[in-house]
Amino acid sequence: ISTGGKLLGTYTVDGATNYDWEDLAAFELDGEPWLLISDTGDNGGVRKDIVLYAVREPDPAAPPGPLPLAWSLHVRWPDGPRDCEAMAVDPVAREILPLAKKRVPAQLFRVPLPVAGKDPGMLVAEQIAVVSDMPQPDEDDLARAPAGMRYMSQITSTDLAPDGLRLTVLTYREAYLFERA
């Protein structure tokens, strides 16, 4: 999709299974543009592991076709399943940053980007921070819309600025900008 919202192409990814794809991160690593697909959704909290898929970002001028899978990572959470719709990539630190959805405060994790040619096997995400500044619905919110309001503060997407200094976090109703100290 262009910056103006125009559809540039639709692609399938060879070798990837869509269990519950949630977020897509564009990043540059060693001068090459990449896309990382997060198969991290888990509404029921039952998945033993999640999968992160990487493809080289396609050239929008080239004819659309299947994208070859460059690599995938199988990841477990350190203390059991959780739902995660948000993931960013920090190419400077060479880390993937999943941000869990439902727990309060929200938990930020890291997973190392793989080293070329090495299969890391099953990885365990490492919690590195909590995002405690996310406003939660108050009693008035819950009285107005008890069924839906409790979900409005849940995190649905995140992205890291290319310089790694600002993290944008989206919920169902708001966007927040956090600056790295």
Side-chain angles (χ1 to χ4, degrees):
I1 299 174
S2 74
T3 55
K6 180 183 173 198
L7 179 64
L8 299 176
T10 301
Y11 301 88
T12 59
V13 179
D14 283 343
T17 302
N18 183 347
Y19 180 84
D20 193 354
W21 290 7
E22 294 289 359
D23 207 356
L24 179 70
F27 64 102
E28 191 169 300
L29 188 62
D30 301 327
E32 245 186 284
W34 292 88
L35 296 175
L36 189 67
I37 304 160
S38 69
D39 187 6
T40 56
D42 189 8
N43 292 334
V46 297
R47 290 181 73 176
K48 300 264 188 257
D49 60 276
I50 57 172
V51 186
L52 306 171
Y53 296 109
V55 295
R56 286 183 174 78
E57 186 167 0
D59 178 355
L67 297 176
L69 183 63
W71 47 264
S72 61
L73 294 176
H74 291 266
V75 180
R76 287 203 171 140
W77 301 108
D79 59 351
R82 62 188 25 81
D83 196 11
C84 178
E85 291 185 5
M87 181 229 15
V89 175
D90 184 345
V92 176
R94 300 182 87 84
E95 296 174 333
I96 301 161
L97 302 171
L99 182 56
K101 177 180 179 180
K102 295 178 182 174
R103 297 191 184 184
V104 178
Q107 299 165 296
L108 180 65
F109 295 85
R110 75 171 152 211
V111 175
L113 281 169
V115 175
K118 292 188 179 179
D119 179 5
M122 179 67 69
L123 297 172
V124 177
E126 175 190 1
Q127 184 176 329
I128 56 172
V130 293
V131 182
S132 56
D133 299 338
M134 304 297 291
Q136 299 299 308
D138 61 23
E139 288 181 27
D140 290 339
D141 290 332
L142 294 171
R144 276 194 320 274
M149 192 55 71
R150 63 184 174 149
Y151 301 110
M152 291 294 113
S153 62
Q154 290 182 353
I155 295 166
T156 61
S157 186
T158 190
D159 201 6
L160 189 67
D163 63 8
L165 298 179
R166 291 170 311 285
L167 183 73
T168 303
V169 176
L170 301 176
T171 68
Y172 285 102
R173 69 176 170 183
E174 297 172 315
Y176 298 92
L177 182 64
F178 296 92
E179 297 215 16
R180 183 178 265 173

